[in-house]
Amino acid sequence: MAAPRSPDRRSRSRTFLGLLSLPERRFVADALRTETVGGVLLLVAAVAALLWANIPAFGDSYEAARSFHIGPAALGLDLSLQHWAADGLLAIFFFVAGIELKRELVAGDLRDPKAAALPVIAAVCGMAAPAVVYVLVNTVGGGSADGWAVPTATDIAFALAVLAVIGTSLPSALRAFLLTLAVVDDLFAILIIAVFFTSKISFPQLGGAFLGLVLFWFLLRRGVRGWYVYVPLALVIWGLMYNSGVHATIAGVAMGLMLRCTRHEGEEHSPGEHIEHLVRPLSAGLAVPLFALFSAGVALSGGAIGQVFTRPEPLGVVLGLVVGKTVGIFGGTWLAARFTRAELNRDLAWPDVLAVASLAGIGFTVSLLIDELAFAEDPVLMDEVKAAVLIGSFTAATVACVLLKLRDRTYRALTEAEERDEDLDGIPDIYEEHTPDYHLRMARIHEEKAAAHRLRAAQAAAESAAGAPGEAAAPAAAPAEGAAGSSAGDDRPA
């Protein structure tokens, strides 16, 4: 397969899934590398939770463990371990999501409205379509519409873990598209949680949290440094936000959005990028897997699995993830590209977009969180919907694996071409093809190689000439023998 084309800057702006800028490519690679490791841990935690909950000898201990309460009751924080994982640990996850969103808006692809339009439209359609599918299924089946938001989220870590398990290396443009979908998903998930799952509000605590955020912002703008200042303040803000009735993860998002994500002169990384680099491993490697451990353990007996496909609520979630996500993202992308006249990268094809759309149907972390909020009053239905999230995500992953494997050879060729660095200057060659210095360096490299081969050829000739006369004459006789064989009617070339 030919190497991916490196379009000029002007044509790249009209190309969908075109070559990323070098800084953006490096950021995406670093971010997704951590998320991939975290996704594998998430996968392990989910499997461990399912085994723990479904092995008869340990099922009761799993329920007892996640229901165990700990924390200062005087501060309103005497919470179960499951509650701590959902409201506490996921605040770290949403803090990182806030930084990602801020960076995308001020320094990433979302800063340019024209470039951002297509992935944002795809992400919005990818959230609206699953919600519509869920509502239609429950309207026809007479179920509850409370879970409409459950199938709307994409779990980027789980999706990357699937890629790691099947051994598929996507080109950077497809990975960046998947990451952008997840970032926009997280933004709307935050809004959904804040607007639709906030019942009673305590304004004194909410006001205290707001003042804490103002102080957080002021200290950042004054350039105050030190984790011993910000970590205690963040815990106070989180506690006040939790007791206000607003979901505590909103505090994490708000603080993440306040960090500066643009680089000043002389800075290698902005403060936001630096903090994200420090906190992301904690989020992906600890917070999210622990949440999965205490939330994904549901009984998967034959009857429970049967309920997933017979009750409208879990069935709506499965169809929303598998069908709604795929149709929404692919359809939104195709329509947006058609009406904005954006051309798909010539090295890729629309089946590649369909595969990524299917992969985005893996909804796990945020889907489980919204399920716990939507069906808090009905634990039985909550567990059935959790089972639906697991089944729907597994089905979407299976479909995506099949579609991705069909194009695996193409992806590997594109990835190898993107990473090739023959002049060993630390910059992939594809980013230097339009610079004269690169071609001059490559000319010198090839000239040096050619000189070395000429020297080795001379040495080989000298060694051959110094050999025995009989040995030296043998090769010369071969052509004549071959010619004779050819004249005798042999099909071998002379």
Side-chain angles (χ1 to χ4, degrees):
M1 177 185 169
R5 299 170 181 85
S6 178
D8 59 31
R9 198 175 295 238
R10 181 168 48 181
S11 66
R12 190 181 302 153
S13 65
R14 299 194 304 269
T15 302
F16 170 53
L17 295 180
L19 186 67
L20 299 178
S21 66
L22 185 57
E24 186 70 11
R25 182 181 182 275
R26 286 173 172 168
F27 173 82
V28 169
D30 290 341
L32 296 187
R33 190 177 298 112
T34 304
E35 290 290 353
T36 300
V37 175
V40 173
L41 294 177
L42 176 62
L43 205 58
V44 171
V47 172
L50 288 171
L51 292 175
W52 192 359
N54 285 277
I55 295 176
F58 300 104
D60 293 339
S61 66
Y62 177 77
E63 190 60 37
R66 68 177 181 175
S67 301
F68 181 76
H69 278 64
I70 189 173
L75 298 178
L77 297 175
D78 183 19
L79 310 177
S80 67
L81 291 181
Q82 183 181 5
H83 211 164
W84 274 111
D87 288 83
L89 293 177
L90 281 194
I92 302 173
F93 167 80
F94 279 104
F95 174 70
V96 174
I99 300 176
E100 283 181 343
L101 179 60
K102 176 69 173 291
R103 187 201 165 277
E104 287 293 323
L105 290 172
V106 301
D109 288 344
L110 298 183
R111 74 185 185 279
D112 181 3
K114 292 182 180 179
L118 200 148
V120 169
I121 291 172
V124 170
C125 292
M127 297 191 76
V132 170
V133 169
Y134 178 92
V135 171
L136 287 176
V137 170
N138 282 270
T139 299
V140 173
S144 170
D146 293 342
W148 63 270
V150 174
T152 59
T154 294
D155 194 314
I156 182 68
F158 219 135
L160 293 173
V162 170
L163 292 177
V165 169
I166 66 174
T168 294
S169 179
L170 290 183
S172 59
L174 286 176
R175 286 177 173 259
F177 181 57
L178 184 62
L179 180 61
T180 304
L181 291 175
V183 169
V184 178
D185 263 7
D186 290 341
L187 170 62
F188 283 97
I190 292 160
L191 295 175
I192 288 171
I193 291 170
V195 173
F196 295 98
F197 297 103
T198 298
S199 52
K200 297 180 180 179
I201 298 179
S202 174
F203 287 100
Q205 282 88 345
L206 184 60
F210 178 76
L211 291 176
L213 289 171
V214 171
L215 178 59
F216 190 89
W217 176 85
F218 177 76
L219 294 174
L220 288 173
R221 292 301 172 270
R222 297 291 294 179
V224 176
R225 297 185 178 182
W227 64 268
Y228 47 84
V229 174
Y230 292 102
V231 171
L233 179 58
L235 292 175
V236 171
I237 294 171
W238 176 86
L240 290 169
M241 188 70 75
Y242 174 81
N243 283 290
S244 72
V246 178
H247 201 271
T249 54
I250 304 301
V253 176
M255 288 183 279
L257 288 171
M258 289 181 181
L259 295 175
R260 176 169 63 83
C261 293
T262 54
R263 300 177 188 178
H264 289 171
E265 187 176 354
E267 286 184 339
E268 185 177 356
H269 301 288
S270 67
E273 291 172 327
H274 176 67
I275 293 174
E276 180 186 10
H277 181 73
L278 295 176
V279 179
R280 184 185 288 275
L282 178 63
S283 169
L286 181 66
V288 175
L290 281 178
F291 168 76
L293 182 64
F294 289 113
S295 295
V298 293
L300 293 178
S301 63
I305 295 176
Q307 291 284 3
V308 170
F309 298 100
T310 55
R311 291 196 63 173
E313 293 89 353
L315 180 61
V317 170
V318 172
L319 294 178
L321 289 172
V322 178
V323 179
K325 269 289 183 182
T326 304
V327 172
I329 292 175
F330 181 81
T333 303
W334 187 84
L335 289 173
R338 183 177 180 86
F339 286 106
T340 60
R341 297 182 180 179
E343 297 180 0
L344 183 66
N345 181 357
R346 288 174 293 175
D347 294 310
L348 297 172
W350 284 106
D352 301 319
V353 180
L354 181 65
V356 173
S358 301
L359 191 65
I362 300 174
F364 191 78
T365 304
V366 179
S367 293
L368 293 177
L369 174 62
I370 295 177
D371 169 42
E372 293 180 358
L373 297 174
F375 300 109
E377 304 299 325
D378 191 343
V380 174
L381 183 56
M382 180 197 300
D383 283 348
E384 291 175 356
V385 172
K386 282 184 179 181
V389 169
L390 297 175
I391 293 173
S393 297
F394 177 78
T395 304
T398 303
V399 173
C401 287
V402 173
L403 295 176
L404 291 170
K405 277 298 184 182
L406 292 175
R407 297 270 291 168
D408 188 56
R409 182 177 300 177
T410 299
Y411 298 150
R412 291 186 182 279
L414 289 171
T415 302
E416 290 173 3
E418 287 181 2
E419 296 174 351
R420 186 177 298 118
D421 182 20
E422 292 187 10
D423 58 348
L424 303 177
D425 65 345
I427 300 175
D429 296 340
I430 194 171
Y431 290 95
E432 300 182 293
E433 290 178 347
H434 298 288
T435 60
D437 290 343
Y438 163 74
H439 292 286
L440 291 174
R441 285 196 303 273
M442 290 304 301
R444 286 194 297 270
I445 291 172
H446 287 298
E447 287 168 0
E448 291 172 358
K449 289 182 178 179
H453 281 291
R454 279 192 287 269
L455 178 61
R456 292 180 62 182
Q459 293 173 346
E463 292 172 359
S464 177
E471 294 177 357
E481 183 180 340
S486 176
S487 62
D490 198 344
D491 290 335
R492 291 176 299 172

